[in-house]
Amino acid sequence: MADNDIIAEALERFEESDSETRQNRQDAHDDITFSRLSDQWPDAIRTQREAEGRPCLTVNRLPSFIRSVVNDARHNKPAIQVHPVDNGADVATAEVINGIIRSIERRSNAEVAYDTAIDSATSGGFGFFQIGIEYAHDDSFDLEARIERIANPLMVHWDPASTRFDASDWDYCFVSDFISKERFAHLYPDADPVDWEGSDTYGEMWMLDDKVRIADYWLREQVKRTIVRMSNGVVYREDDLAKEQKLEGFGNFAEAMSVTLEDMLNFQGIVRTNEVREVDTYNVVRRKISGADVLSEDKWPGPTIPICPVWGEEIVADGRRHFRSLIRDAKDPQSMVNFWRTASTELVALAPKAPFIGPRGFTAGMEDEWASANTRSHATLEYDPAAGPMPQRQPFAGVPAGALQESLNASDDMKSVIGIYNASLGARSNETSGRAILARQREADVSTFHFIDNLNRAIRYAGQVLVDIIPSVYSPRRTVRILGEDSLEEVISLASQPPEIHTASFEDEGGPLYDLSVGVYDVDVKAGPSYGTQREETRETLIEIIRALPGAAPLLGDVLMEHMDFVGSDRVAERLKMMLPPQIQQAEGIAPPPQPPMPSGGLPPMPGQPIPGQPITGGPIAPQPIPSEPIPGLPLTNRQM
């Protein structure tokens, strides 16, 4: 397809997405500016009050509700779990893929991407993060996957025809940003920012004042693919079987010979079966475009677009999907709080000062002091007794009770609408017992759990995207560094050629090798405390057990030390292991199994000779000759001498 056709199609799809999702974008923008930027007064009312010199106070209580949900998601980090599905996959390779994903999350600081997405979904109704592929570092050709955040969710235009909750059925997506014209000219000197011959609508979308829109245009196209089951039970793609393989250790002979993967399998006795079928799959392409040119193009190794949406509350009405934030229905109560708090403050601030009441002329000789009595603090105030009785100050009328009560009512309405109450916000409430407080907190967690669960679903989709691309990204390497659940690193070896035993993991002379391209794996998400939190809980539980059962200390002391974080705790744990009973040491592989007793004379029983104290089985045993050479480390016997 020519670049002009690609741009025309892209502009049409961008306008379609913007039109279909415009209401969601406008609502998200209003929610974010209202809750996070405290823009909570209508422009007309603010302008009128400021012109009259009247206050417009904002007592923004919404961020605390948003932080309650977001911080709960931060506290309970979801973990991607990969499981084998078919007979070509195995548990060992699934754990290697898990380790690669954990390493990807750590190197790309995925927590920031997850936190930004859930924050955007809670504040505006939707958020996103994306999967990318980059070079491992500047001096390497090795590639690695990255999980990247999308800071501005309003710059993502998705396929409005999708019906699945994740992005697995998106046919296109735009992730765009605005850069200055000067930077655009520096990065793309031969490109035009906007096709001015197009419609005015497109021009407005792709040019904003002195800035130019640059977009990653993701496109997914359906293709046919043939899969074949080989005699070893593993399913291969037809195009993979036709790929040429590199032969190692054959010198110039390998360069002159074209060998495909199927040839190598046939050489091992693995041939095609009659199970062949054609399936529908997808090719994904990413193009970086302006409003007029295709700036770059890359083929994505997976079958789905790697943009992971974190939705808020989804509602389908009138054939359209609406995504609502946590605070969508709490904006009116928040506006009432601002109004009544402003009204009560205004009534107090603008109320006349309580005057002094006295007979005419009682300020004679002290006019200045009495005139400033409401603005300055005087040690004494004199009056003229001849004028009459002593003057008295009138009492302050006080804050109107109705304004204060309405403010409290609006605050309660806000909590009821959102479903988060004082106990969940960390404030003291009517609950007095711990059980009652936990029950109220659990009630709030249940009412807002769909936001956290939607994040888990997005992370599960991200895990599936990573499982799809990891074989293409990491298989060309010889080794790869993985990360365990305890954050300990390990270097494992990858198979560069199909093994003789066609499973995901096998042994060679250098140790286990793992073929990431073999087998099918499923993805699940385990939500709960992080490894550090679990470690702390284990430590506290062991301490309580030892306090309750002091006799268990010698048996649990080494485990407790392994969960301590002070310097030298590992050495203390090793020494405590040496004090365990022999049967426990043997069961955990700390001590070797007991050796058979030595016969008289100091020599161990030779192969085939009976062991003293054990019954003889299996028939008579032929006597074995005693070696004539002395055995190092053993005393010489008479026969050896």
Side-chain angles (χ1 to χ4, degrees), residues 89-105:
D90 60 21
V91 176
T93 305
E95 186 53 40
V96 168
I97 298 176
N98 282 325
I100 294 176
I101 293 177
R102 284 191 288 265
S103 180
I104 292 171
E105 289 181 320

Side-chain angles (χ1 to χ4, degrees), residues 32 147 330 412 454 498:
I32 293 173
I147 299 175
D412 291 340
N454 289 348

